[in-house]
Amino acid sequence: MVLKKYLILVMLCICGTLKAQTEEGSLFNSFDGTKIYYELTGNGYPVILVHGFTNNSQSWKHGSLYPALIKQGYKVIILDQRGNGRSDKPHTDAAYAKDAEAKDIMGLASLLKLKQYFIVGYSRGSIITSRVMVLDKRVKKAVMGGMGADYTNPNWPRRVHAYEALAGDTTHHDVDEMMAWIHKNNFDDESLKLQQKYQPSTSPAELARVKIPVLLIDGTEDKTNGDVHDLQKLIPGSAYAEIPGNHNTAGNTEQFAESIIRFLKQ
């Protein structure tokens, strides 16, 4: 009788764990053991969405693209990049170096047994998307939103200033707004610092070898990350779409979703 009660209790605990995973998402162990949170919705052609700095997977649900992709029948995959949301937030240099974030995405694609997929990034998510599209042959189309050519510079001042500000330097006033947002939301400063320290750049030579269709999409008032047209010159055959909004608003608009879906369906 005691054994029976014990087995029932164990089964209840197991079922509770599975329910928590299936209702909200799942965790997987990435290449270095870091746990990465992800969600998958739908059964069609897979599209991986990559969020920006200080955001997480749930930020996609506040805009128009996520529901539009689901409505169009795509398999939509969102994840919390390491250091964000419900994923682990390691505080070691090694955890963010050598394309760790791109490796997380490629590892997730392998876990889900994706033979090919589309990928969409916004802001810093575009920087990671850029790495994935040059490293993973399974990527068949890529979208980079809110990003100009500045990230191709390994010593991009904006990245350097963000890293130094997160390390305690108070002299870089060009990132004051970002730092105020981080402190207001009590984010993990150490993890964010390392994300900026090891934020990857993709060289013009690497971009010149890209052969897949790429869409660059930007708000009319967005001048945050350099000139998109300069980036377009670096990626052979890349398309460009301009939509209303600034860096914080353009990615949530219906025009953003419509332009991307039109590109993916071509």
Side-chain angles (χ1 to χ4, degrees), residues 43-136:
N43 298 300
Y45 195 95
V47 183
I48 298 178
L49 304 182
V50 190
H51 66 77
F53 191 57
T54 75
N55 281 325
N56 57 54
S57 57
Q58 305 309 299
S59 63
W60 289 107
K61 297 180 180 180
H62 302 312
S64 297
L65 180 61
Y66 179 81
L69 287 169
I70 294 171
K71 185 177 180 180
Q72 290 292 322
Y74 289 98
K75 177 186 292 183
V76 184
I77 302 154
I78 55 177
L79 73 155
D80 291 344
Q81 295 183 68
R82 58 177 58 208
N84 298 276
R86 285 177 259 192
S87 291
D88 283 349
K89 302 172 179 63
H91 287 178
T92 64
D93 287 58
Y96 298 90
K98 299 179 180 178
D99 282 317
E101 292 159 287
K103 290 176 183 175
D104 291 338
I105 294 169
M106 293 186 287
L108 178 57
S110 296
L111 176 74
L112 299 176
K113 299 180 179 179
L114 305 183
K115 294 181 180 180
Q116 55 186 28
Y117 61 94
F118 298 150
I119 187 167
V120 178
Y122 192 78
S123 193
R124 189 176 185 275
S126 292
I127 295 173
I128 306 304
T129 291
S130 180
R131 297 306 301 152
V132 177
M133 77 178 183
V134 302
L135 293 171
D136 194 350

Side-chain angles (χ1 to χ4, degrees), residues 24-40:
E24 295 186 350
S26 302
L27 291 167
F28 81 97
N29 291 322
S30 194
F31 67 97
D32 61 350
T34 300
K35 290 182 173 58
I36 303 297
Y37 175 85
Y38 71 96
E39 297 180 17
L40 186 156

Side-chain angles (χ1 to χ4, degrees), residues 12-250:
L12 286 172
C13 290
I14 292 173
C15 290
T17 301
L18 291 175
K19 184 178 180 181
Q21 290 177 336
T22 54
E23 278 187 354
E24 295 186 350
S26 302
L27 291 167
F28 81 97
N29 291 322
S30 194
F31 67 97
D32 61 350
T34 300
K35 290 182 173 58
I36 303 297
Y37 175 85
Y38 71 96
E39 297 180 17
L40 186 156
T41 304
N43 298 300
Y45 195 95
V47 183
I48 298 178
L49 304 182
V50 190
H51 66 77
F53 191 57
T54 75
N55 281 325
N56 57 54
S57 57
Q58 305 309 299
S59 63
W60 289 107
K61 297 180 180 180
H62 302 312
S64 297
L65 180 61
Y66 179 81
L69 287 169
I70 294 171
K71 185 177 180 180
Q72 290 292 322
Y74 289 98
K75 177 186 292 183
V76 184
I77 302 154
I78 55 177
L79 73 155
D80 291 344
Q81 295 183 68
R82 58 177 58 208
N84 298 276
R86 285 177 259 192
S87 291
D88 283 349
K89 302 172 179 63
H91 287 178
T92 64
D93 287 58
Y96 298 90
K98 299 179 180 178
D99 282 317
E101 292 159 287
K103 290 176 183 175
D104 291 338
I105 294 169
M106 293 186 287
L108 178 57
S110 296
L111 176 74
L112 299 176
K113 299 180 179 179
L114 305 183
K115 294 181 180 180
Q116 55 186 28
Y117 61 94
F118 298 150
I119 187 167
V120 178
Y122 192 78
S123 193
R124 189 176 185 275
S126 292
I127 295 173
I128 306 304
T129 291
S130 180
R131 297 306 301 152
V132 177
M133 77 178 183
V134 302
L135 293 171
D136 194 350
K137 293 181 179 179
R138 292 172 294 181
V139 176
K140 297 306 175 185
K141 287 187 179 183
V143 178
M144 297 172 62
M147 187 55 55
D150 286 2
Y151 83 99
T152 62
N153 175 9
N155 298 311
W156 182 18
R158 182 174 175 82
R159 180 197 67 78
V160 174
H161 292 176
Y163 163 66
E164 292 178 347
L166 285 160
D169 189 332
T170 59
T171 64
H172 299 305
H173 299 298
D174 56 325
V175 293
D176 280 350
E177 187 176 342
M178 179 199 76
M179 292 302 298
W181 170 255
I182 289 170
H183 293 150
K184 177 182 177 181
N185 289 277
N186 197 31
F187 290 130
D188 189 315
D189 286 24
E190 184 65 19
S191 174
L192 295 179
K193 180 188 77 174
L194 292 170
Q195 288 172 49
Q196 288 297 320
K197 182 177 182 180
Y198 292 103
Q199 180 169 280
S201 59
T202 303
S203 70
E206 288 175 301
L207 292 174
R209 293 192 292 269
V210 171
K211 298 186 183 303
I212 62 170
V214 177
L215 173 66
L216 308 176
I217 185 166
D218 200 31
T220 54
E221 302 169 44
D222 187 1
K223 306 301 178 187
T224 305
N225 295 312
D227 193 321
V228 180
H229 297 291
D230 289 341
L231 180 58
Q232 189 179 16
K233 293 174 185 176
L234 298 176
I235 305 176
S238 55
Y240 171 66
E242 186 175 73
I243 57 174
N246 58 36
H247 193 71
N248 294 326
T249 62

